[in-house]
Amino acid sequence: MTLWEKTGFETKTSIQEQAMPLLEEGKDVIGQSPTGTGKTLAFLLPALERIDVKKQNAQVLILASSQELIMQTYQEALKYTKEKGITAGSFIGGANIKRQVEKLKKSPQLILGTPGRVLELIKLKKLKMHAIKLIILDEADQVLAREHRKTVDTIISSTLKSERQLAAFSATMPNDIIDVAKNWMNDPTVIKVEQETLFADAKVDYFYLECEQREKSTLLEKMARFEGMRGLAFSNDITELNVLEQKLRFKKVNVRALHGEKDKLDREQAIQQFRANNVPILLATDVASRGLDIPDVGTVIHIDFPLDEDQATHRSGRTGRAGKDGQVVFLLTPREVRECKQLAASKGWNLVQKVIRASEFVDPK
């Protein structure tokens, strides 16, 4: 059985169809494709095929900016490594570095890590990069953000350009990020998938509720009480998120918050409870808009207006995945309505106003 057959999928998505053969041939690739189109498998399966199981050293490195995304990709990799006899290890910031050094003594062939921790292990001379033949940047526009760029440059520069392959994937890939990635690559192929035809049947509705800032917690409370609600609600501000969580829990609404200042255990529990359907709404910063496999999100709620179009794309893309219908709801103050209509027009979204009555969205009278 091939690795692809083991996935249980019959048909490959566009990004998988285009990227996998190139990666298997050893080509450098920049891949842009909407959220939920199978980018992880597009790079993970070819990466595993590149590993020589007879050699007990690090051969493939996958970098991502969030601990959650690394752990998720690591769990996905474990579905395929055992059968091929491949060893893998995850190395994230915040975890005990002594234990990670012990893990490296077992010579994992597949390394998954956050840039800061990976560089730390390289500087300690515990992670040897001489045999790395493939580096993958997942959610590349985040990994190559200015605050990470020097770290990533140092990591990539510790390998030989002539002997290693480099790939970068994301749902949004601004031109400046593509240019940065190209500087490290050898004649890369750039793949841009605008819309996934395999999932074209998915219907996503776009609504906005007009309200004052102080009314947003009340609207969230009402939505949390909708029957069957599975919502991911995004805020730009961690303090606001914590206040909302406290307000809603005081009103006996079982919500959880997910952001970078929560400790690792809190973040894991928040995701697990949401996945288990114990929490109707997960309050989050952008840590949850990036790559995390949070299945069956029926509703994305923009508590705050997105800071830019890319942020709107990543957040809204958490619903309507893999052919399943969804809805995106913006909570807008009166002055934000016009801006949101302009955003919707540029994205081709049919944005309509709604109000909440009797635990459902209805047209305003």
Side-chain angles (χ1 to χ4, degrees):
M1 183 184 279
T2 65
L3 288 179
W4 176 256
E5 287 169 342
K6 194 169 168 52
T7 67
F9 295 115
E10 290 183 14
T11 310
K12 290 177 181 172
T13 63
S14 299
I15 190 67
Q16 291 165 351
E17 196 76 55
Q18 295 179 64
M20 289 171 77
L22 293 168
L23 292 172
E24 285 162 6
E25 289 168 20
K27 302 279 177 60
D28 286 359
V29 172
I30 295 172
Q32 177 181 325
S33 184
T35 55
T37 54
K39 291 187 290 294
T40 301
L41 287 180
F43 63 71
L44 182 59
L45 300 190
L48 295 174
E49 296 286 8
R50 297 292 318 276
I51 291 172
D52 183 347
V53 293
K54 294 172 189 165
K55 294 181 179 175
Q56 294 303 307
N57 49 24
Q59 298 172 49
V60 172
L61 171 63
I62 298 174
L63 292 174
S65 60
S66 83
Q67 299 173 9
E68 287 81 10
L69 185 50
I70 285 296
M71 294 312 298
Q72 176 183 289
T73 308
Y74 174 66
Q75 292 300 324
E76 186 68 21
L78 291 182
K79 295 177 186 176
Y80 310 100
T81 51
K82 192 173 181 182
E83 195 169 287
K84 289 190 73 72
I86 293 169
T87 53
S90 61
F91 302 89
I92 57 175
N96 186 306
I97 195 163
K98 287 183 180 176
R99 285 188 197 152
Q100 293 182 344
V101 169
E102 287 303 310
K103 267 202 278 185
L104 285 171
K105 288 178 181 174
K106 295 175 183 174
S107 302
Q109 296 152 322
L110 172 65
I111 305 288
L112 303 96
T114 47
R117 181 49 55 94
V118 167
L119 182 57
E120 198 175 350
L121 291 166
I122 291 170
K123 286 182 173 178
L124 288 170
K125 297 188 164 45
K126 301 300 180 184
L127 175 56
K128 308 287 195 297
M129 297 290 285
H130 65 280
I132 292 284
K133 59 178 85 168
L134 169 60
I135 298 176
I136 293 160
L137 309 178
D138 190 12
E139 297 293 335
D141 56 331
Q142 289 284 292
V143 175
L144 297 180
R146 293 197 180 277
E147 63 267 27
H148 300 306
R149 210 170 283 178
K150 191 174 179 184
T151 302
V152 174
D153 183 43
T154 308
I155 293 169
I156 292 173
S157 299
S158 67
T159 61
L160 288 171
K161 187 174 182 179
S162 60
E163 293 181 13
R164 60 108 178 103
Q165 179 185 6
L166 183 60
F169 288 84
S170 187
T172 52
M173 202 80 82
N175 288 332
D176 64 315
I177 297 293
I178 291 175
D179 291 341
V180 170
K182 280 182 174 179
N183 286 335
W184 294 310
M185 292 181 167
N186 295 302
D187 191 24
T189 300
V190 179
I191 301 166
K192 288 196 174 187
V193 177
E194 298 300 332
Q195 186 177 3
E196 179 48 61
T197 53
L198 192 63
F199 303 142
D201 294 341
K203 178 174 176 282
V204 178
D205 294 314
Y206 295 87
F207 308 144
Y208 74 90
L209 307 179
E210 190 173 328
C211 61
E212 296 300 333
Q213 188 68 30
R214 65 180 179 277
E215 298 171 320
K216 291 186 177 183
S217 65
T218 304
L219 290 174
L220 282 168
E221 180 189 352
K222 288 180 178 180
M223 284 186 271
R225 300 192 193 283
F226 281 17
E227 187 178 343
M229 169 56 73
R230 278 184 61 76
L232 199 48
F234 288 102
S235 170
N236 299 335
D237 184 81
I238 288 174
T239 304
E240 181 191 14
L241 214 56
N242 288 332
V243 169
L244 279 171
E245 183 183 26
Q246 288 169 3
K247 274 186 181 178
L248 290 167
R249 295 186 88 165
F250 179 75
K251 293 180 178 180
K252 302 291 188 288
V253 179
N254 186 22
V255 297
R256 292 295 296 265
L258 178 68
H259 58 70
E261 290 182 9
K262 293 272 188 183
D263 66 33
K264 185 166 168 276
L265 187 61
D266 266 347
R267 289 158 73 167
E268 285 175 358
Q269 286 177 344
I271 291 171
Q272 284 168 3
Q273 288 195 14
F274 187 74
R275 282 178 174 152
N277 267 343
N278 296 329
V279 172
I281 291 179
L282 185 63
L283 306 169
T285 55
D286 280 344
V287 72
S289 74
R290 293 297 188 142
L292 290 187
D293 181 24
I294 303 176
D296 302 327
V297 174
T299 306
V300 164
I301 303 160
H302 295 269
I303 302 169
D304 296 322
F305 192 68
L307 297 173
D308 55 42
E309 193 170 311
D310 282 354
Q311 192 180 60
T313 299
H314 279 280
R315 290 176 173 183
S316 301
R318 302 316 300 174
T319 191
R321 294 165 72 90
K324 294 180 180 177
D325 294 348
Q327 54 191 10
V328 175
V329 182
F330 294 87
L331 306 186
L332 302 176
T333 59
R335 63 182 179 78
E336 291 171 330
V337 172
R338 185 181 173 198
E339 194 177 353
C340 193
K341 286 180 176 177
Q342 289 172 340
L343 169 69
S346 73
K347 299 293 293 179
W349 297 338
N350 181 27
L351 180 71
V352 295
Q353 185 175 7
K354 295 283 183 181
V355 295
I356 296 174
R357 285 201 195 97
S359 293
E360 62 179 347
F361 295 115
V362 297
D363 295 327
K365 291 285 170 70

